[in-house]
Amino acid sequence: MNPIQRNTFPENLPKDETKYPEIDVFICTADPYKEPPMVVVNTALSILAYDYPTNKLSVYLSDDGGSKLTLFAFTEAAKFAKHWLPYCKKNGILVRCPEAYFRSNYTCFPNTHEIKLMYENMKSKVEQTVVSGNVYTDEKWSHIFSIWDNQFKRSDHPTVIQVLLDGTTDEDVLGHVMPKLIYVSREKREATTHKNKAGALNVLLRVSEIMTNAPIILTVDCDMYSNDPRTPLEAICYFLDSSTDHNIAYLQYPQSFHGINQDDIYGAAFKFIFEFNMTGFDGLAGPSHAGTGCFFRRRAFYGCPSSHTSEQRRSQSFLSTEVLAQAHEVARCNFEAGTKWGIELGYRYGSLVEDLYTGFRLQCQGWRWCMGCLDMAFCKYNPFNHGLKQLPLLQVMCYINYALWSIPCISVVIYSIFPQIALIRSVPIFPKVSDPWFWFYVFSFIGAYLQEFIELKLMGGTTRGWFNHQRMWIIRCLSSFTFGILKYTLTKLHISSSTFSVTSKVVDEEARKRYDQGMMEFGVESPFFYPLSMAALINLGAFIFGILHFLTYGGLQDLFVQFFLSAFGVVNSWPIYEAMFIRSDRGKMPSKITSRSIALACILYVAVTLVI
Ligand SMILES: O=c1ccn([C@@H]2O[C@H](COP(=O)(O)OP(=O)(O)O[C@H]3O[C@H](CO)[C@@H](O)[C@H](O)[C@H]3O)[C@@H](O)[C@H]2O)c(=O)[nH]1
Ligand SMILES: [Mn+2]
């Protein structure tokens, strides 16, 4: 209704940098094999190298993988940072994630080659360590790995907190103070639940409060490097500007994905969310929170805008034994028992999409700006009930749109199977072409698709990109959304439990090449493919039947809508037919899935025909 585009003018910030607020940055990682430590290190380096007073910047790494491999990678990163930071700052480098920088078309400076060599040495050292699983390190660091004894398990271990750059004695090669870098792996015990990412962030909230207590917090996923070193300066423009609302709880940067192929075959850029929905949300009560790339006011986590928390500086050095002991204490796994953490304090629990949910709850408290979605739709503080009491109606509708994101899959499943089977049985179920109601279907179909097309075009998308986007939506409905709803139902019936399964960030070079050529991957034996390939087969059968019907009896007046749906299904299923019957590369559909899908499609057909 009232989309907002914003601009900042960091050049107008006070010249006196001592007036800038301190920033605590939280990076989360959870698995050294799905999230290779080098990916995490690159993200951290892009942030350590920010153009921001280094004595005001502290980077905390939360390692839910409890991995000495990740810690080792960070000890190496701390050493490399001493060269990387001055290199970037002196030469005004824009991309400060070394991997992305060295992959780009970079300009050569006198020591570029030397730095590149250093980076590559570090990379191969870390990658070899990950493969071997054995850490060999210099004397300076070796003692910090002793905690990984035989008893130390990923799901059962004490808290580990290691200060890797302390902000005082650690200087870069030019003698400048470095930002602080702190590794935190919270205590894990098998008997306690750990609340996934929200739990990890709440531990970092408490640990950082004890150690540095910066009033501004930035949260980042481990694979989301920062692509602009001036980001924190832009962010503080909002927090320091006395003319803006003091109730700004958070400032969400859009996620932008690298490595997406030309026509985005997986519809993975989520431009709708970041370019369209966010600006619209902003015109209401503020954007939704998207998990990563978000600056928060620390006090937003502690209550309503009017409530006050301690923002005073601590007198003790953050390296003192007392401070470290306290930090260990608040990272204990049963620290939250009986407290309001996760309910009224910090990141809110109860949804696998802690980001959307926490943002929504913060806005409900009066803060401005800003299978889990279903948790959010049906929990105590759902948008319908809780939201309507606190937020404008349109804002609530935006959240309902996200909360019920997966529900349209019910109609997609129905529309991809039943009209087609009815077509094969020559049973008309939609109005004939001559019936005025036929135009209702034409209008709905064209209306929905044209709107999406225009919006994607306005965002600079290609026509193929739009086609892929709509195809992926159908694919998601027939796979992840359907399974998501099933899983949610089973969880609510206590037949199954919900878990946060971390997305793998490992790049398979062969699959990468296929992706660049625009080929989809079906190469794993995933049950997700069954509904998809069954629907593809049923649509193909119906389409062939429709053609035969037309050739034998002429006109398809009565069955036109059904024929159109199956033709549309066939066009959308093309990559699935290729994967089932034509391709021979490793990304093709496993033959077991193909044969089972054929059998299941036949069974479904017979079962439905017995009913209609
Ligand atoms: O127990 C856990 C589980 C996950 N993570 C971290 O959470 C982040 C996101 O996990 P990922 O597997 O990459 O999930 P995505 O679905 O890609 O993440 C999107 O969706 C999440 C849930 O809405 C948001 O938290 C993320 O910011 C957003 O990028 C990663 O850095 C993980 O290391 C933890 O720290 N602890
Ligand atoms: Mn992710």
Side-chain angles (χ1 to χ4, degrees):
M1 296 279 176
N2 175 27
I4 294 188
Q5 300 283 348
R6 293 177 186 273
N7 265 325
T8 51
F9 302 94
E11 58 277 15
N12 295 343
L13 283 169
K15 294 283 161 285
D16 178 8
E17 288 187 349
T18 56
K19 297 217 169 82
Y20 294 4
E22 292 186 20
I23 303 181
D24 286 343
V25 184
F26 299 168
I27 305 176
C28 286
T29 186
D31 185 327
Y33 300 104
K34 284 184 175 172
E35 302 180 329
M38 272 317 288
V39 171
V40 195
V41 157
N42 267 284
T43 301
L45 286 166
S46 75
I47 289 167
L48 287 167
Y50 269 156
D51 279 334
Y52 201 73
T54 47
N55 59 343
K56 291 181 178 277
L57 190 63
S58 308
V59 176
Y60 290 83
L61 174 74
S62 154
D63 180 15
D64 267 350
S67 168
K68 61 179 175 186
L69 304 173
T70 305
L71 177 58
F72 171 72
F74 270 75
T75 59
E76 291 295 308
K79 283 190 262 173
F80 176 67
K82 296 185 178 182
H83 301 268
W84 179 245
L85 269 49
Y87 173 78
C88 290
K89 292 182 182 177
K90 192 164 145 235
N91 301 314
I93 307 294
L94 183 62
V95 182
R96 297 190 180 180
C97 156
E99 186 67 34
Y101 174 71
F102 290 120
R103 232 188 297 120
S104 69
N105 213 350
Y106 56 90
T107 324
C108 271
F109 298 100
N111 58 343
T112 304
H113 186 68
E114 191 191 331
I115 297 276
K116 185 168 186 222
L117 213 65
M118 238 180 250
Y119 173 69
E120 274 162 7
N121 282 339
M122 164 178 75
K123 187 174 165 182
S124 70
K125 198 167 164 189
V126 168
E127 288 179 345
Q128 274 165 24
T129 305
V130 172
V131 172
S132 75
N134 297 321
V135 171
Y136 298 103
T137 181
D138 6 326
E139 234 170 75
K140 179 175 177 203
W141 302 112
S142 57
H143 67 280
I144 67 176
F145 295 96
S146 58
I147 195 164
W148 274 267
D149 56 14
N150 291 338
Q151 249 109 64
F152 193 107
K153 280 196 280 171
R154 184 175 157 177
S155 54
D156 197 284
H157 66 80
T159 301
V160 187
I161 298 179
Q162 284 301 338
V163 178
L164 302 176
L165 293 172
D166 64 15
T168 45
T169 55
D170 289 300
E171 291 178 345
D172 68 23
V173 287
L174 297 183
H176 302 132
V177 167
M178 308 266 296
K180 299 178 194 69
L181 176 63
I182 299 132
Y183 171 95
V184 179
S185 185
R186 58 185 165 139
E187 186 192 20
K188 289 273 176 81
R189 295 295 167 211
E190 256 145 28
T192 5
T193 54
H194 299 287
K195 311 289 186 192
N196 310 314
K197 183 181 166 193
L201 286 168
N202 281 343
V203 167
L204 285 193
L205 269 173
R206 296 193 296 268
V207 169
S208 66
E209 189 192 351
I210 306 273
M211 297 182 79
T212 45
N213 202 23
I216 305 292
I217 286 165
L218 164 64
T219 59
V220 189
D221 283 355
C222 65
D223 57 338
M224 290 287 192
Y225 70 83
S226 174
N227 61 6
D228 186 347
R230 289 167 65 80
T231 303
L233 295 176
E234 286 180 6
I236 62 165
C237 285
Y238 293 95
F239 293 115
L240 289 188
D241 187 351
S242 51
S243 66
T244 57
D245 194 335
H246 276 288
N247 289 345
I248 293 173
Y250 61 84
L251 195 69
Q252 176 67 58
Y253 272 75
Q255 293 181 25
S256 100
F257 300 90
H258 55 98
I260 286 185
N261 71 1
Q262 200 193 350
D263 292 315
D264 188 8
I265 53 167
Y266 294 131
F270 292 111
K271 286 198 165 179
F272 267 105
I273 294 185
F274 295 111
E275 286 184 26
F276 244 76
N277 299 5
M278 287 286 192
T279 50
F281 256 124
D282 199 1
L284 297 164
S288 54
H289 168 37
T292 177
C294 193
F295 286 86
F296 287 91
R297 240 186 246 283
R298 184 183 285 273
R299 63 189 174 88
F301 288 109
Y302 293 85
C304 296
S306 53
S307 66
H308 289 285
T309 49
S310 59
E311 280 186 15
Q312 84 278 12
R313 283 232 35 87
R314 301 194 168 251
S315 49
Q316 281 164 316
S317 149
F318 94 117
L319 289 171
S320 73
T321 336
E322 291 84 358
V323 167
L324 282 176
Q326 267 184 45
H328 277 78
E329 170 66 19
V330 297
R332 269 188 24 237
C333 64
N334 52 7
F335 179 86
E336 289 178 356
T339 68
K340 293 215 157 23
W341 280 96
I343 307 160
E344 281 169 28
L345 292 178
Y347 267 79
R348 309 305 198 258
Y349 302 146
S351 165
L352 293 180
V353 287
E354 79 305 320
D355 49 356
L356 189 64
Y357 183 54
T358 301
F360 163 71
R361 289 284 305 279
L362 291 182
Q363 287 184 351
C364 283
Q365 282 181 346
W367 285 101
R368 199 177 162 283
W369 279 54
C370 108
M371 148 183 144
C373 289
L374 287 170
D375 281 324
M376 181 167 152
F378 297 112
C379 70
K380 184 174 161 202
Y381 298 100
N382 65 61
F384 310 93
N385 172 10
H386 187 60
L388 275 174
K389 287 185 212 143
Q390 324 265 350
L391 290 174
L393 178 66
L394 280 173
Q395 183 90 353
V396 173
M397 284 167 71
C398 297
Y399 275 113
I400 291 177
N401 171 43
Y402 284 141
L404 300 182
W405 198 247
S406 56
I407 297 296
C409 89
I410 298 170
S411 44
V412 172
V413 169
I414 293 172
Y415 270 74
S416 341
I417 293 172
F418 296 101
Q420 290 77 351
I421 294 183
L423 170 64
I424 303 178
R425 305 293 297 170
S426 299
V427 180
I429 54 173
F430 292 106
K432 297 178 191 171
V433 177
S434 53
D435 187 329
W437 277 107
F438 170 75
W439 294 101
F440 170 75
Y441 286 90
V442 175
F443 175 79
S444 313
F445 184 84
I446 296 185
Y449 273 78
L450 195 64
Q451 184 206 348
E452 200 174 88
F453 179 75
I454 294 171
E455 286 179 355
L456 270 179
K457 276 279 175 189
L458 285 177
M459 289 186 278
T462 60
T463 305
R464 287 209 117 193
W466 158 76
F467 184 78
N468 291 332
H469 183 270
Q470 66 78 31
R471 162 150 64 206
M472 264 325 284
W473 183 72
I474 299 178
I475 290 183
R476 281 194 194 111
C477 282
L478 284 169
S479 53
S480 51
F481 290 179
T482 304
F483 277 90
I485 290 188
L486 284 176
K487 177 97 183 169
Y488 179 78
T489 316
L490 292 178
T491 309
K492 287 291 130 178
L493 296 173
H494 302 288
I495 300 172
S496 164
S497 63
S498 60
T499 44
F500 191 123
S501 82
V502 178
T503 325
S504 174
K505 280 95 182 164
V506 183
V507 181
D508 169 345
E509 285 305 329
E510 261 185 58
R512 169 82 234 179
K513 271 192 207 132
R514 288 194 289 270
Y515 176 66
D516 287 338
Q517 290 162 7
M519 287 156 88
M520 286 188 169
E521 284 300 302
F522 294 94
V524 284
E525 275 189 19
S526 164
F528 276 36
F529 295 147
Y530 287 120
L532 206 56
S533 43
M534 281 162 68
L537 291 166
I538 290 173
N539 276 272
L540 185 62
F543 178 70
I544 295 172
F545 175 87
I547 304 246
L548 292 177
H549 183 98
F550 176 72
L551 294 176
T552 328
Y553 305 106
L556 268 172
Q557 283 277 335
D558 297 356
L559 297 164
F560 180 78
V561 176
Q562 281 151 272
F563 178 69
F564 178 83
L565 282 176
S566 59
F568 186 64
V570 167
V571 175
N572 270 318
S573 305
W574 198 254
I576 303 167
Y577 305 134
E578 280 183 333
M580 289 171 103
F581 306 117
I582 303 173
R583 282 164 62 174
S584 57
D585 56 84
R586 279 178 49 205
K588 79 177 187 93
M589 186 90 75
S591 33
K592 195 165 130 194
I593 302 239
T594 306
S595 49
R596 282 190 188 172
S597 305
I598 296 174
L600 286 169
C602 294
I603 294 173
L604 184 66
Y605 174 76
V606 174
V608 175
T609 51
L610 288 177
V611 178
I612 59 172

